Amino acid sequence: MPGESGKKLFVGPRFRRIRQQLGLSQTQIAEGLGISPSYINLIERNQRPVTAQILLRLAETYDLDLRDLATADEDRFFAELNEIFSDPLFRQIDLPKQELRDLAELCPGVTHALQRLYAAYTEARRGETLVAAQMADREGSQFDANPIERVRDLIEANRNYFPELETTAENLRDELNVPTEGLFTALAARLREKHSIVCRVMPVDVMRETLRRFDRHRRQLLISELVDSSGRNFQLALQIGFVECGAAIDAIVSRAGALDDTARRLYRITLANYFAAAAMMPYQAFHSAAEALSYDVHV
């Protein structure tokens, strides 16, 4: 690392990582380096540069190798982010390379989370392909298309609009008549009182690799604690969709014509998801709010 006295560097996230590895607070490391805690705070937020003298003092005081502040990790993170966003999934997003580099340097935790999310996505797509191949092998020429693609075609043919489900979802929200923060309680009460289904949020070690499970025998909807509040609301609305809109969903499926069992089941799940989304964000209410706010996207 350059050692000339006038050299200034912005290494906030790496500086913070080293401090945390040393088990020191900002005040403690500031005392050790002979500078103010507020300056340490600004350094770690990349709002102030750190001079070569401070880096040398850091190395001498805490017996560190200055190579710990090298950019090897950031370069690796940048390369991985670049690979992720090269996927056709993001082809319509114009993301400058500098923004990816900034993300890799300033938010290594976010970068790691994106890597895990993308890995889960690719694994899911691989699973789709495997299931389709297995179905085709088992049933032969009976399956001319991937059931997932068949359902997508049906959604597109209906222009992703199913008025009977939309209306029922809006009626549900009107009946509940609660703000968003009270939606979970209201949906859980409806399932319990109208359908004798109890919702329980379960610890992750019980749910293991699943985020949702419906126990038909005990009439319990189990949701992992990993699911956030909006996700929990969605799962409750989804279950209501299955039990209250079963007939409407079956009617829509029957209009699709001949479907194999896999495509029919997938279509029903997709329609129940449609209902849940419509219940969480009723179109008329959303449209009225958009009109009132002059379509201000930020608001």
Side-chain angles (χ1 to χ4, degrees), residues 3 6 8 12-13 16 22 53 64 83-84 88 93 102 118 143 162 178 230 245 255 264 267 277:
K8 295 181 179 180
R16 179 173 60 250
L22 292 170
Q53 293 98 319
L64 297 175
E83 180 180 355
I84 289 173
I93 300 178
D102 290 343
Y118 183 71
F143 292 94
F162 301 92
V178 294
S230 62
C245 295
R255 294 201 300 264
R264 184 179 299 106
Y267 196 20

Side-chain angles (χ1 to χ4, degrees), residues 31-47:
E31 291 175 353
L33 297 177
I35 56 179
S36 69
S38 61
Y39 187 53
I40 291 292
N41 183 267
L42 293 172
I43 287 175
E44 293 189 355
R45 291 161 56 191
N46 260 3
Q47 294 184 0

Side-chain angles (χ1 to χ4, degrees), residues 89-141:
L89 177 68
F90 305 105
R91 60 179 174 270
Q92 294 183 342
I93 300 178
D94 183 15
L95 192 61
K97 300 298 183 184
Q98 186 57 49
E99 289 189 14
L100 292 180
R101 186 168 291 280
D102 290 343
L103 178 62
E105 180 175 349
L106 298 177
C107 306
V110 174
T111 300
H112 183 61
L114 284 172
Q115 291 168 350
R116 294 185 61 180
L117 183 62
Y118 183 71
Y121 163 76
T122 53
E123 185 63 28
R125 291 302 301 268
R126 190 178 300 114
E128 286 184 6
T129 303
L130 179 60
V131 168
Q134 290 173 341
M135 293 293 293
D137 288 343
R138 185 168 69 249
E139 302 295 342
S141 60

Side-chain angles (χ1 to χ4, degrees), residues 182-242:
L183 189 56
F184 179 87
T185 301
L187 290 171
R190 187 179 183 94
L191 280 172
R192 183 178 63 253
E193 296 167 5
K194 193 169 183 178
H195 306 288
S196 300
I197 296 174
V198 177
C199 176
R200 300 177 61 192
V201 178
M202 306 297 290
V204 64
D205 57 337
V206 174
M207 298 299 286
R208 297 186 181 276
E209 296 183 358
T210 184
L211 296 178
R212 175 193 194 276
R213 183 168 69 246
F214 179 58
D215 188 331
R216 296 181 182 276
H217 299 291
R218 294 193 175 103
R219 304 293 289 174
Q220 291 184 348
L221 175 62
L222 309 179
I223 301 176
S224 170
E225 63 181 348
L226 293 178
V227 179
D228 61 16
S229 59
S230 62
R232 295 175 188 181
N233 291 342
F234 185 89
Q235 293 301 332
L236 290 174
L238 176 66
Q239 192 62 44
I240 290 175
F242 280 128

